[in-house]
Amino acid sequence: VGLIEDSHPDPFLHAGGRVAFFRTVAAAANELPDGSISRGQLARVLLPVVAAVGDGHTTLGSGEAGGPGLPIDLVPVGDQMFVSAVYRKKDRDLLGGRLVAVGGQPLGALLERMSTLQGHDDAWQNRVNLAQGLHDDVVLGMLLASPGDEVHVQVKGRTSLVDRALPRMKTEDDRRIVPPSRIELPDPDASDIGWGFIGPDQQIAYLRIVSMMRYREAFELWRATGYVSNLGEHLDRTVRATGARSLPDDRDARIAAVPSATEAMRSLTAEMSARGVDKLIIDLRANHGGNSAITYIVGTFLAGLEATASQDDGYQLRRFSQLYLDTHTAVSLDDLAKDGLVIGEYDFSGERRWRDHPGVGGDIAELTQQLASFMPTFAAVLADPPEPLRPRMIVLTSASTYSAGFDLARLLRGLGATVVGVASAQAGNCYIDTMPFRLDNSGLQGSISSKLSLAWPDDPALGKVLEPDVVLGVDDMLRLEGDPNATVLLALDRFAGD
């Protein structure tokens, strides 16, 4: 509670005020036993406290994530949750069906209960949280009170209602079974970026960005800003994913071994030009976020840096805390003092600039210098910018498009892209930029936001949910029989109709 109160930009706003928040804290404290408590039991007590902040980026892990939960994956479409994957061959008949109930609890009741266990920016994120929570032993126990070794799940198929007892088990990717698709898509590399050409005569370019956590320039920026949390095991895992037999000796060499977003965009745009292709699908459906610096890289190749930087991003307001300094080693108390700030205060400079000059980008020369210093791999492109390709663009979103993934979708929309799919779980007006924490005694880990971000400061409705231009609806999913690439098929139809 101390970490939340001291570090979050506004921890009481969505909680109903300070008194309401501490009423939740008091209720949690009353659940603590006199003696010892297990890590999972403590998580059960603390999850409602963290959820009361009402922020999708402020989280607490259960300490037992990954199982034994239910062997079923769900995706939100419209007001329904579709079965997108199963983990046993005998459950294939559930694929493409709609969830009706779990453990006797109807979908609506499960969503209502989930909203008290994990913070969310909008209803879409609450649905994503439920899908993830069914895989988590602690969350599942809180959703259903006392689930047994098997849990009855009701799924509505095309012709009948299936009632199936599913065992609680760990779900591993190599056992994941998904519905067949009518289209084959390029695979991403170790950077989580992949590209190729699809559609009739392979005349539509396709760029897939699964996450923004594993491209080289992200690690370069984290190194430059002293954000050390992602420069250890996460960096090592990413290098191993390239197929490297051994890790380079020093950190800079490991960063250099990670595939580059700059090179991916250079190769894609060069091949599009060579083929005379002017249509591009950017697939962000499963992009949970990461480092949003890639927005400048993608934007520069597709529309130019000036057009990218001139997009009205609203403003951001950062609060400085001891946790912030602990997780950003390139910033010190002396740095804050130079700007007249101390721990606990807020930096309002971005808001003042936006109020004075709304919708006006910053100085391009200054931005170019800053980006070049942060991301050396991108510096050569900034020194000699390519002619922007300016293709006709469709960007794909799902409820799982989140954080930095949402930032890129929002940028592309501003640059003229058509948004196709399901609304993002990310709100445009929300809290962002997480700071990781670990509780000393229990070892429970989580994250707390450091910024209030207002992409649309004067439009609360748009800031709550960004609706796609072409919505993937329940009828579409039924018509396409739960095809995991239904959104891609809608995008191809859209291009065909233009």
Side-chain angles (χ1 to χ4, degrees), residues 88-433:
R88 304 187 307 165
K89 292 180 179 179
K90 64 177 66 177
D91 296 325
R92 285 179 180 271
D93 58 327
L94 301 180
L95 291 171
R98 288 168 284 171
L99 184 71
V100 175
V102 177
Q105 298 294 314
L107 176 59
L110 292 169
L111 289 169
E112 184 176 354
R113 177 61 174 157
M114 190 70 228
S115 69
T116 69
L117 304 181
Q118 190 169 340
H120 53 281
D121 296 334
D122 56 29
W124 290 103
Q125 189 176 8
N126 191 44
R127 293 166 187 155
V128 172
N129 290 345
L130 174 63
Q132 295 171 344
L134 294 180
H135 289 290
D136 188 296
D137 180 43
V138 170
V139 175
L140 184 62
M142 298 180 76
L143 286 169
L144 302 182
S146 56
D149 292 336
E150 289 188 332
V151 177
H152 278 267
V153 172
Q154 289 184 319
V155 173
K156 184 178 182 181
R158 294 184 64 86
T159 59
S160 62
L161 181 68
V162 179
D163 190 317
R164 179 73 44 80
L166 296 180
R168 294 171 63 184
M169 57 183 280
K170 289 189 176 182
T171 51
E172 300 175 0
D173 286 343
D174 60 356
R175 301 179 64 180
R176 192 169 185 264
I177 302 169
V178 301
S181 179
R182 304 181 186 186
I183 187 170
E184 185 175 348
L185 301 174
D187 292 323
D189 62 18
S191 69
D192 281 342
I193 300 172
W195 62 271
F197 295 85
I198 62 174
D201 301 322
Q202 304 287 287
Q203 285 299 298
I204 297 176
Y206 173 84
L207 172 63
R208 183 180 184 184
I209 306 178
V210 179
S211 87
M212 297 174 176
M213 287 292 295
R214 289 156 55 105
Y215 63 99
R216 183 192 307 162
E217 295 84 350
F219 290 103
E220 291 177 340
L221 191 145
W222 288 323
R223 177 181 59 192
T225 57
Y227 190 76
V228 297
S229 298
N230 290 330
L231 298 178
E233 280 298 317
H234 174 60
L235 173 58
D236 293 350
R237 286 193 300 269
T238 303
V239 175
R240 291 191 186 99
T242 67
R245 294 184 177 180
S246 60
L247 293 174
D249 292 334
D250 65 273
R251 188 179 67 185
D252 290 348
R254 290 197 292 274
I255 291 175
V258 176
S260 158
T262 300
E263 292 308 314
M265 289 303 301
R266 192 196 307 274
S267 299
L268 168 63
T269 52
E271 186 66 17
M272 288 178 66
S273 296
R275 294 188 180 206
V277 171
D278 68 346
K279 297 176 182 178
L280 173 62
I281 293 173
I282 304 101
D283 190 347
L284 304 177
R285 287 174 297 161
N287 194 312
H288 295 285
N291 192 313
S292 60
I294 196 174
T295 58
Y296 289 105
I297 300 172
V298 173
T300 295
F301 279 94
L302 297 182
L305 180 59
E306 188 165 355
T308 299
S310 67
Q311 295 300 304
D312 184 1
D313 290 333
Y315 62 84
Q316 297 175 345
L317 186 156
R318 186 186 300 282
R319 185 188 184 195
F320 295 99
S321 64
Q322 186 58 53
L323 182 61
Y324 181 86
L325 296 180
D326 291 344
T327 54
H328 295 76
T329 59
V331 181
S332 67
L333 281 173
D334 290 340
D335 295 326
L336 297 186
K338 291 176 184 177
D339 293 325
L341 297 168
V342 298
I343 284 179
E345 289 190 339
Y346 301 81
D347 181 2
F348 290 100
S349 59
E351 180 180 9
R352 288 194 293 267
R353 284 194 298 271
W354 188 86
R355 293 295 176 191
D356 291 340
H357 305 286
V360 177
D363 183 84
I364 293 297
E366 180 181 342
L367 175 62
T368 300
Q369 183 179 9
Q370 184 181 46
L371 291 174
S373 65
F374 283 166
M375 297 181 288
T377 299
F378 188 42
V381 171
L382 294 168
D384 185 18
E387 181 66 26
L389 197 61
R390 297 189 178 90
R392 298 158 64 191
M393 296 183 290
I394 289 178
V395 58
L396 310 183
T397 63
S398 72
S400 295
T401 306
Y402 195 66
S403 194
F406 172 83
D407 290 340
L408 180 53
R410 179 167 54 87
L411 168 70
L412 294 169
R413 174 181 179 270
L415 294 174
T418 299
V419 181
V420 175
V422 174
S424 165
Q426 170 81 53
N429 298 346
C430 65
Y431 301 105
I432 62 168
D433 282 18

Side-chain angles (χ1 to χ4, degrees), residues 4 15 21 24-25 27-28 31 41-54 60 113-119 142:
I4 291 172
F21 177 77
T24 302
V25 173
E31 293 184 30
Q41 290 171 328
L42 182 61
R44 287 180 172 86
V45 172
L46 292 180
L47 281 171
V49 173
V50 180
V53 179
L60 179 74
R113 177 61 174 157
M114 190 70 228
S115 69
T116 69
L117 304 181
Q118 190 169 340
M142 298 180 76

